[in-house]
Amino acid sequence: LVLLAAYVGYLGLGAAVLQALERPAEMQAARHLLREHWELLANHTCLRGPDLRRLIEGIIQAYKSGITLQGNSTSLGRWDYSGSFFFSISAITTIGYGNLSPSTAVGRIFCIVFALFGIPLNLVLLNEIGQLMLLGVQHCAHHLEEVFHWQNKASFLMKTCALVTGLLLFLLLPPLLFSDKEGWSYEEGVYYSFITLSTIGFGDYVIGMNPDRAYPSWYKNVVSLWILFGMAWLALVIKFCINILE
């Protein structure tokens, strides 16, 4: 009962803080949208409200499918092989950004079957990678104990080094790459890194989706490897936090 009360209280606190932080911005965006809508109708009297709404809904639906207007043509590419491979990664890792999803019935059925077998395969692989990381840390700690005759200090030192190294490799350095390739700020890159590796996957920031930018062929492959090893590292950190809470 105490644990349940703490859980509900934590959720309530998060909801209150987020409402205080995000609600004013939401209301301001809504006012701005309405103002732009009425100004457009006033300045272009040939447009009618229902027609404009249908056009906006069509643009939104097309954008969800990965299609954007570029002059007199449209941009495609989210379902090329690299985009499909990245979607497969987001599916079996349960990140599920939500910015891209199958639109055909056969594609949705295949996605169910693919994820049904892919998610356990991904969990087994992440567990093996995590165990290798943990064994590496323990081996280094054991080596330090033998050389310097340390006991508890060696284990604490290696865990600290592993934590700092993981922070650099998976949370603090990747945003520099995202800033260069995506044009995001460093804060946005850190936010995307944590939301991705923790498998929260809101989908508000996703790499390789800006039609105005040219991405190198290796970019999504490197990010896919980063996701795989970063999830394994963050799973170990979360497991450590769980042990502390328990």
Side-chain angles (χ1 to χ4, degrees):
L1 290 176
V2 172
L3 181 60
L4 179 61
Y7 181 80
V8 174
Y10 191 76
L11 290 176
L13 175 63
V17 173
L18 286 171
Q19 182 185 22
L21 293 175
E22 298 297 329
R23 183 66 173 175
E26 180 189 37
M27 296 176 65
Q28 182 179 359
R31 288 193 296 266
H32 177 74
L33 177 62
L34 283 175
R35 184 168 61 251
E36 292 287 328
H37 176 262
W38 291 117
E39 286 180 359
L40 182 64
L41 290 177
N43 294 330
H44 300 82
T45 54
C46 59
L47 287 175
R48 291 184 297 177
D51 295 332
L52 179 60
R53 279 196 298 272
R54 279 195 297 270
L55 175 62
I56 293 174
E57 289 171 359
I59 293 174
I60 292 173
Q61 188 61 40
Y63 181 78
K64 288 181 179 179
S65 301
I67 302 171
T68 56
L69 287 173
Q70 289 184 321
N72 294 325
S73 63
T74 56
S75 67
L76 299 172
R78 290 192 177 185
W79 284 114
D80 58 9
Y81 187 78
S82 62
S84 300
F85 185 85
F86 193 73
F87 171 79
S88 300
I89 286 281
S90 69
I92 67 172
T93 55
T94 69
I95 295 173
Y97 289 115
N99 69 308
L100 190 61
S101 58
S103 59
T104 64
V106 177
R108 289 167 180 164
I109 293 172
F110 173 77
C111 187
I112 293 172
V113 177
F114 180 75
L116 185 64
F117 293 96
I119 291 173
L121 177 63
N122 176 72
L123 292 175
V124 170
L125 179 61
L126 289 182
N127 183 62
E128 290 297 321
I129 293 175
Q131 290 300 321
L132 287 175
M133 290 180 176
L134 192 58
L135 285 174
V137 172
Q138 292 174 348
H139 177 73
C140 292
H142 182 68
H143 184 69
L144 286 177
E145 289 177 1
E146 292 181 344
V147 174
F148 298 101
H149 302 290
W150 293 343
Q151 294 182 356
N152 295 332
K153 289 183 179 179
S155 178
F156 176 77
L157 179 63
M158 289 311 305
K159 288 180 180 179
T160 304
C161 290
L163 177 62
V164 172
T165 303
L167 283 173
L168 287 173
L169 290 178
F170 302 120
L171 286 180
L172 300 181
L173 292 180
L176 298 176
L177 176 65
F178 301 142
S179 297
D180 178 57
K181 300 302 179 184
E182 304 290 341
W184 299 340
S185 66
Y186 184 79
E187 175 269 328
E188 290 171 327
V190 173
Y191 169 77
Y192 166 77
S193 298
F194 181 80
I195 293 301
T196 294
L197 297 184
S198 61
T199 72
I200 295 173
F202 288 125
D204 48 352
Y205 290 90
V206 184
I207 61 104
M209 296 298 173
N210 190 341
D212 298 325
R213 287 184 170 268
Y215 299 101
S217 57
W218 52 264
Y219 181 50
K220 287 186 178 180
N221 296 329
V222 170
V223 173
S224 297
L225 288 175
W226 164 75
I227 289 175
L228 192 61
F229 286 92
M231 283 180 62
W233 170 80
L234 191 59
L236 290 177
V237 175
I238 292 175
K239 184 179 179 180
F240 178 70
C241 294
I242 289 174
N243 291 337
I244 292 176
L245 287 174
E246 288 181 341

